[in-house]
Amino acid sequence: MPKPTDLVQGTLDLLILKTISLEPKHGWAVAKRIQQMSGETLQIQQGSLYPALHRLEQQGWIESEWRPTETGRMAKFYKLTRSGGSQMKRELESWARLSAAINLVVQEV
């Protein structure tokens, strides 16, 4: 199973932005959703996830608020900001170019 360090640099930010673009989620739910959507291939560790969430919040791409979870426990929920949506689109375009270029190389070998 890939470790977070195995991800292409910047991919974690894109995964987080995309995951919370659908609906606000708390940190554990973000990691769980990425794991589920990747067919259990990607497992984001807390030591990578929470610094990334903090960084994205500092950049103004996400914002947070404390709310109760389904179990009644309070958790910080993250949601995408307008500038975060723009950043996500840029990162998706960049990812599409990068993955297409990599596919060209590996298919030719």
Side-chain angles (χ1 to χ4, degrees):
M1 236 176 252
K3 301 175 298 238
T5 55
D6 292 338
L7 297 174
V8 175
Q9 182 143 5
T11 306
L12 180 56
D13 290 357
L14 174 57
L15 293 172
I16 292 169
L17 293 173
K18 182 63 177 171
T19 300
I20 64 171
S21 72
L22 306 172
E23 65 178 325
K25 293 191 178 304
H26 54 82
W28 183 84
V30 169
K32 201 65 175 158
R33 182 73 174 154
I34 291 169
Q35 184 176 342
Q36 290 170 343
M37 293 303 295
S38 70
E40 308 297 320
T41 300
L42 300 175
Q43 293 186 358
I44 310 303
Q45 302 300 315
Q46 288 184 8
S48 299
L49 177 66
Y50 289 100
L53 288 167
H54 182 72
R55 183 180 62 254
L56 294 172
E57 192 168 16
Q58 291 296 309
Q59 292 169 323
W61 296 339
I62 64 175
E63 57 189 21
S64 64
E65 68 175 335
W66 288 94
R67 288 198 248 162
T69 64
E70 311 78 42
T71 62
R73 184 179 70 79
M74 294 299 287
K76 203 176 207 185
F77 279 73
Y78 299 90
K79 70 177 184 175
L80 201 61
T81 63
R82 178 171 284 151
S83 63
S86 298
Q87 179 64 23
M88 182 184 70
K89 288 177 186 172
R90 287 189 295 273
E91 290 195 25
L92 283 169
E93 291 167 0
S94 178
W95 174 253
R97 285 191 305 275
L98 176 63
S99 60
I102 291 171
N103 279 332
L104 288 172
V105 172
V106 298
Q107 289 174 1
E108 290 297 318
V109 173

